[in-house]
Amino acid sequence: MRNIASWGRLDSYPHQAVTLDDPRHVASKIAASNLPGLAHGMGRSYGDVCLNPGGTLWMTTGLDHLVAFDEANGRLICEPGVLLRDIQRAFIPRGWMLPVTPGTQLITVGGAIANDVHGKNHHVFGSFGDHVKRIRLLRTDGEIIECGPEMSADWFSATVGGLGLTGVIVEAELQLRRVESPWLQTETLPYADLDAFFDLSDASEASWEHTVAWIDCMRGEHQRGLFMRGNPAPADVEHPAMPKGKKSTMPVVPVSLVNRWSLPPFNTAYYTLKRWKAGAAVEHYEPFLYPLDNLREWNRMYGPNGFYQYQSLVPRAIGRDAVQAMLKEIARSGEGSFLAVLKTFGNRSAPGILSFPQPGVTLALDFPNHGERTHTLFARLDAIVREAKGRLYPAKDARMPRDLFESGYPRLAEFMQYRDSGISSALSRRLMGS
Ligand SMILES: Cc1cc2nc3c(=O)[nH]c(=O)nc-3n(C[C@H](O)[C@H](O)[C@H](O)COP(=O)(O)OP(=O)(O)OC[C@H]3O[C@@H](n4cnc5c(N)ncnc54)[C@H](O)[C@@H]3O)c2cc1C
């Protein structure tokens, strides 16, 4: 047994970790495991969707082979433990890129499919699952299901965003998109309030591929923030020197560095610095799309008690008022986060039954774990999300109440037919009863 934690480091739990590395032996290793088990990629999910305390975890990062690539049409076949970073680094120099990646590229293809992750370009490219053409799914009874948008489409839509609960993805075929260079033409624009954020979002969606905003969540109704947008740059763009790829590591700290005294000056310094540098720039895709990947183990910054991320999504029509109400509650509580991200999702239907993205506005914030105090705030935020008929993101969750999950994901009963009875997670036990 080995103690394993997820990205939020709320706790670590004993697991029987079974390494999957040779595709020929995956089925027999799963059959020989104590069931129920669960696939585990990079453990970059913040909460308990990737944990199975007391049970088996099938560790997939050893299944890291690129199997085939068709240069003519950009189709890549790969094993599920391949990191998005490795796909980007191998194929961008050849003129191909993953259409959708989240705010970190240090995740596996299996994890990206199982949470149907989204990036800063949802309004243009949808979510990760929109670009998956085929999945080879291994059930714990040994059955193999080949599925895709046009073959066994019901299994496909259950597995994309299926939280690892329909089987183990053992191979995937992905459609990459063309790019001319690794550079992006970007703009950073300070904004003064939520109305200005929505105006900027509306004005940017038609002509900018990537849009995202940082918001200073410590200022109650007097929000301010920075709106970032970017487009792929042409091959001949004039660009700065390549980033050095220098990595630093967050040291282990005995207490959280993020608290009600450190946050306001932290946020003010960030805002002032970025505002000073605002305007147009040419940036390499890595620092723009994955700003935290160069600070290894930044999750240690929250100290030994770990942290939660609260990522909500509310419909656009009520989005401004709901976000305003949440920010007011957060400022009032004195809890809050440096990493507060605000983004609108496009009007697209999602590929998975339980996919998180849907049209609306999403607010994501990190909170140091202060026990009861933090949970009291979450209950207030839940009430706002519930009232707005919104939902929370399971990939980030470690505590949402079951009724909020059920109201946020009205197709849950349909999903349950596809579950593999040999698979279970801490999240599925908490929110689905098994
Ligand atoms: C800094 C940071 C930024 C992030 N930004 C975003 C963002 O912008 N957008 C977004 O959507 N998410 C974001 N995330 C969340 C992250 O993208 C997801 O949690 C992702 O699923 C993690 O992948 P992983 O490889 O670490 O999988 P894990 O966290 O290990 O597992 C995630 C789920 O995938 C399942 N799984 C893994 N491999 C397989 C497999 N082979 N077969 C079946 N199921 C499998 C697991 O069972 C689990 O349910 C961010 C996370 C971090 C740390």
Side-chain angles (χ1 to χ4, degrees):
M1 298 295 264
R2 175 144 74 85
N3 277 346
I4 295 174
S6 64
W7 190 246
R9 300 177 75 246
L10 288 166
D11 216 335
S12 70
Y13 305 91
H15 288 87
Q16 186 188 43
V18 174
T19 301
L20 305 182
D21 46 13
D22 183 336
R24 292 167 305 177
H25 301 142
V26 168
S28 59
K29 280 196 174 178
I30 287 177
S33 302
N34 287 333
L35 295 179
L38 181 73
H40 184 93
M42 285 290 279
R44 261 6 194 223
S45 299
Y46 283 63
D48 55 1
V49 72
C50 59
L51 298 175
N52 181 22
T56 305
L57 282 184
W58 298 303
M59 315 302 280
T60 63
T61 51
L63 294 170
D64 59 355
H65 287 85
L66 302 174
V67 178
F69 182 62
D70 185 337
E71 193 87 52
N73 63 15
R75 288 281 179 94
L76 171 68
I77 300 175
C78 67
E79 292 176 359
V82 171
L83 299 189
L84 305 194
R85 179 199 62 192
D86 296 341
I87 296 178
Q88 301 288 63
R89 289 189 178 172
F91 291 100
I92 290 176
R94 296 164 75 160
W96 294 97
M97 185 178 194
L98 286 162
V100 172
T101 54
T104 173
Q105 57 178 345
L106 299 174
I107 70 161
T108 62
V109 166
I113 296 173
N115 276 326
D116 191 20
V117 298
H118 58 270
K120 299 173 179 50
N121 59 0
H122 180 267
H123 57 286
V124 179
F125 280 108
S127 53
F128 196 87
D130 283 311
H131 309 279
V132 178
K133 296 298 164 195
R134 185 180 55 82
I135 289 171
R136 173 175 267 251
L137 185 71
L138 171 67
R139 304 273 289 175
T140 54
D141 63 5
E143 186 191 2
I144 293 277
I145 298 174
E146 297 276 351
C147 58
E150 272 132 38
M151 94 186 98
S152 301
D154 53 341
W155 280 100
F156 182 74
S157 57
T159 300
V160 170
L163 313 174
L165 300 172
T166 63
V168 177
I169 298 162
V170 289
E171 190 175 276
E173 184 170 342
L174 312 176
Q175 177 67 59
L176 307 192
R177 48 82 64 106
R178 285 263 185 215
V179 279
E180 289 185 31
S181 78
W183 300 96
L184 294 165
Q185 284 165 318
T186 68
E187 277 184 21
T188 301
L189 308 162
Y191 63 89
D193 56 31
L194 272 185
D195 290 329
F197 161 79
F198 282 108
D199 289 347
L200 271 171
S201 272
D202 290 343
S204 304
E205 280 184 6
S207 46
W208 292 87
E209 178 180 325
H210 300 282
T211 62
V212 70
W214 171 81
I215 186 157
D216 184 347
C217 65
M218 300 306 284
R219 293 171 54 95
E221 285 170 74
H222 311 284
Q223 298 99 13
R224 61 178 177 189
L226 298 157
F227 190 90
M228 275 82 76
R229 56 192 187 185
N231 273 328
D236 59 358
V237 71
E238 240 179 81
H239 58 78
M242 286 287 270
K244 292 225 169 53
K246 229 173 65 194
K247 288 202 171 14
S248 36
T249 302
M250 173 66 69
V252 179
V253 289
V255 290
S256 173
L257 300 180
V258 183
N259 55 48
R260 63 178 73 199
W261 296 281
S262 65
L263 264 173
F266 219 39
N267 279 359
T268 299
Y270 180 77
Y271 179 79
T272 312
L273 184 73
K274 281 279 200 179
R275 198 192 152 98
W276 179 63
K277 288 172 128 186
V282 173
E283 291 182 69
H284 192 263
Y285 74 95
E286 286 196 348
F288 182 80
L289 296 179
Y290 323 113
L292 289 172
D293 278 359
N294 263 352
L295 181 56
R296 266 190 293 238
E297 305 196 66
W298 61 258
N299 52 346
R300 289 178 180 175
M301 159 169 88
Y302 292 91
N305 296 329
F307 69 109
Y308 292 92
Q309 182 164 110
Y310 192 94
Q311 181 165 1
S312 60
L313 168 60
V314 289
R316 185 63 194 270
I318 197 178
R320 191 198 160 284
D321 291 348
V323 171
Q324 178 91 308
M326 284 193 270
L327 291 171
K328 208 167 145 187
E329 284 295 349
I330 292 162
R332 200 158 68 101
S333 73
E335 307 286 302
S337 83
F338 173 60
L339 302 164
V341 175
L342 194 55
K343 152 134 201 77
T344 50
F345 281 150
N347 278 326
R348 304 176 62 105
S349 60
I353 298 175
L354 295 187
S355 290
F356 171 67
Q358 62 179 16
V361 54
T362 182
L363 173 67
L365 304 108
D366 291 350
F367 293 94
N369 174 20
H370 293 141
E372 199 51 42
R373 221 163 75 201
T374 315
H375 286 273
T376 305
L377 169 64
F378 288 159
R380 295 210 185 99
L381 301 182
D382 289 348
I384 297 167
V385 174
R386 207 178 272 117
E387 166 93 21
K389 301 205 177 339
R391 49 172 54 174
L392 301 184
Y393 189 10
K396 308 286 181 72
D397 180 62
R399 43 68 51 194
M400 83 169 104
R402 194 163 164 177
D403 75 291
L404 185 54
F405 182 59
E406 288 170 354
S407 62
Y409 294 86
R411 295 177 68 194
L412 181 59
E414 180 188 345
F415 170 78
M416 293 299 273
Q417 305 165 51
Y418 299 93
R419 277 199 59 181
D420 184 321
S421 58
I423 295 183
S424 172
S425 65
L427 179 139
S428 74
R429 294 195 281 282
R430 185 164 59 81
L431 297 176
M432 302 175 194
S434 65

